[in-house]
Amino acid sequence: MKPTSILINVARGKVVDESALIKALRERRILSAGLDVFETEPLPPDSELWDLDNVVITPHIAGLNPYYTDRLLEIFIKNLQTYPDVSKMINVVDKRLGY
């Protein structure tokens, strides 16, 4: 990554090598990071990430909002109506890819 890069991880904690990220941030090899997920959750109080001035940590609750249940129900109903034709379903997990 370029020294001006900002790494954002809202996917899965294990997608990023956390110790390598901490080293890159400390050495300013990348500009900053915005992290919503971590290798260990919740993020341990002794994690070095808490002390870095170029890291923004968010609470991993983005999915919780007033419309969450309505959206969830809409997806469930659509998928139930198209079952067993998985090709027409939405948000299907591909186990081969791991997500």
Side-chain angles (χ1 to χ4, degrees):
M1 294 177 73
K2 297 182 205 176
T4 56
S5 297
I6 299 171
L7 180 123
I8 305 290
N9 187 8
V10 295
R12 296 286 181 259
K14 298 196 187 260
V15 168
V16 174
D17 179 338
E18 212 163 273
S19 58
L21 174 63
I22 290 169
K23 187 173 193 271
L25 289 163
R26 244 192 281 122
E27 296 172 0
R28 305 290 182 179
R29 285 188 282 128
I30 64 171
L31 184 64
S32 61
L35 305 171
D36 190 56
V37 291
F38 309 94
E39 287 180 348
T40 302
E41 294 206 14
L43 185 62
D46 61 342
S47 171
E48 292 179 64
L49 290 169
W50 290 114
D51 300 322
L52 295 172
D53 65 353
N54 53 348
V55 174
V56 173
I57 295 172
T58 57
H60 195 59
I61 59 169
L64 301 177
N65 64 64
Y67 308 104
Y68 179 79
T69 304
D70 294 337
R71 289 181 188 149
L72 179 67
L73 188 56
E74 183 181 319
I75 290 168
F76 175 77
I77 290 169
K78 177 175 175 39
N79 286 346
L80 185 61
Q81 290 169 337
T82 61
Y83 183 81
D85 187 351
V86 178
S87 69
K88 293 181 181 176
M89 296 173 110
I90 55 174
N91 291 355
V92 176
V93 173
D94 186 334
K95 293 180 182 177
R96 292 171 298 147
L97 297 174
Y99 58 87

